[in-house]
Amino acid sequence: MITGAATAAPLSESIAPAKKKPVLTVAHITDVHIRAGDDAPARFKKCLEDVKKHDVDFFLNGGDSIHAADYKDVTREQMLEYWKIWDECTATLKDYEIHSCIGNHDPWWAAPSEQDEMYGKNYVVKRLKTPGRYYSFTKKGWHFIILDGNNSKISLDDVQFNWLKNDLEQLPAGTPVVLMSHYPILGATPILVGGGHSDSKQLKSLFYQHKDKVKICLSGHQHLQDSTFYNGVQYCCNGAMSGFWWGKGDAESAAPNYYQETPPGFAILKLYADGTVTNTYHPHAY
């Protein structure tokens, strides 16, 4: 058994520039899988209060915000209940921006028809209040790109890839970039459990063309924590807020609430004016 005090210590941390202050401090939460059971709403709210203690400027939400709307037997009522709980919990973040991407469990595919207003990804965009299923924005000299990998074989569709290519090309040289996808683009976890981008070679080649810009790629999906450094880019899969889907775990769980060896938690990113970024994963004990 690992105590709550032990799980409160950060699991991983990059080296910060000496004697420099970050221009932004950003929270990365992912795989919340919010639902009514296992006291998940109250536990999630406690997690959010812990995140706030890090004086974050805004939140990046990596998807799978709700438990699982994608299963064939999920009713409209169940899906709406998940989103209602999500809204109630995130109401505690009314003073913060939340920039979200779409997870595979967020869209409701069991609607009576594709013309149903609640069918698929467009409804998720509406509920998460995002500009679209993929988009970008800039804050304090850092550019943020939010991707949608929920396409054939976990990939960017052609239209989205061309948009990404153009978005990077339009940035002034040396502009530091954070990318977020629900799924890992590169890393160790796809070797262990699958679930990574099938277009990883195409993406890493694009990033290499813009190696003066692309600094870090964030993901979730795996519920496993992993940090990989390749061609000057950090690839950070940042565990899951829900850990073992808010459950106690199974035979592979290293401790209660863990998924395999990864405890539930969230990441704090510190972004510096010189393009340096640190990613620290903080386990939580709720």
Side-chain angles (χ1 to χ4, degrees):
M1 294 288 288
I2 297 179
T3 65
T7 60
L11 276 189
S12 65
E13 185 168 9
S14 306
I15 298 174
K19 298 181 180 179
K20 290 185 179 180
K21 292 184 179 180
V23 295
L24 286 170
T25 300
V26 179
H28 179 224
I29 65 172
T30 187
D31 295 86
V32 174
H33 287 278
I34 200 63
R35 57 187 176 85
D38 287 315
D39 200 30
R43 293 161 68 189
F44 179 38
K45 289 177 183 178
K46 289 180 181 179
C47 294
L48 293 177
E49 292 307 309
D50 281 356
V51 175
K52 291 178 187 179
K53 294 175 184 176
H54 292 271
D55 295 324
V56 298
D57 292 293
F58 59 88
F59 283 71
L60 294 173
N61 168 37
D64 283 359
S65 303
I66 60 174
H67 182 54
D70 59 320
Y71 296 154
K72 293 181 180 179
D73 59 348
V74 173
T75 65
R76 190 185 305 270
E77 290 72 26
Q78 287 174 303
M79 180 266 296
L80 289 174
E81 180 188 14
Y82 292 150
W83 283 117
K84 181 174 182 290
I85 299 171
W86 172 261
D87 289 344
E88 290 171 351
C89 290
T90 56
T92 64
L93 302 180
K94 59 182 176 61
D95 295 326
Y96 299 86
E97 293 181 9
I98 307 175
H99 302 278
S100 301
C101 68
I102 303 172
N104 55 297
H105 288 300
D106 294 326
W108 185 51
W109 303 112
S113 74
E114 295 184 11
Q115 285 68 49
D116 192 298
E117 66 174 353
M118 296 180 184
Y119 174 83
K121 291 189 279 187
N122 287 340
Y123 185 69
V124 181
V125 167
K126 178 180 177 180
R127 294 307 300 250
L128 292 175
K129 302 178 177 67
T130 62
R133 62 186 181 91
Y134 54 88
Y135 57 98
S136 64
F137 61 94
T138 300
K139 287 188 180 293
K140 294 188 177 179
W142 277 80
H143 192 65
F144 297 82
I145 300 175
I146 314 301
L147 301 174
D148 170 26
N150 297 284
N151 305 290
S152 176
K153 298 180 180 179
I154 306 180
S155 65
L156 305 189
D157 52 275
D158 290 342
V159 173
Q160 182 179 184
F161 182 81
N162 289 330
W163 169 86
L164 172 61
K165 182 179 178 181
N166 182 68
D167 196 58
L168 288 171
E169 288 174 350
Q170 294 302 312
L171 292 173
T175 302
V177 175
V178 176
L179 290 100
M180 180 173 69
S181 176
H182 178 63
Y183 309 91
I185 293 174
L186 280 178
T189 63
I191 298 172
L192 296 172
V193 296
H197 269 259
S198 65
D199 54 355
S200 56
K201 287 187 177 181
Q202 185 183 29
L203 288 169
K204 67 89 180 172
S205 296
L206 176 63
F207 300 160
Y208 190 72
Q209 294 173 31
H210 298 279
K211 55 182 179 291
D212 63 318
K213 301 172 186 175
V214 180
K215 302 300 180 182
I216 189 169
C217 295
L218 304 174
S219 66
H221 185 59
Q222 314 291 63
H223 293 228
L224 297 171
Q225 194 276 328
D226 169 32
S227 182
T228 299
F229 190 81
Y230 187 73
N231 281 349
V233 180
Q234 292 185 63
Y235 294 87
C236 294
C237 182
N238 278 323
M241 183 69 87
S242 63
F244 197 86
W245 297 268
W246 301 106
K248 293 182 179 180
D250 61 11
E252 289 189 313
S253 299
N257 307 121
Y258 280 45
Y259 180 56
Q260 297 184 26
E261 297 83 17
T262 299
F266 57 88
I268 298 295
L269 285 82
K270 292 188 180 295
L271 299 94
Y272 298 84
D274 64 357
T276 304
V277 54
T278 66
N279 179 93
T280 307
Y281 186 67
H282 294 267
H284 70 73
Y286 301 116

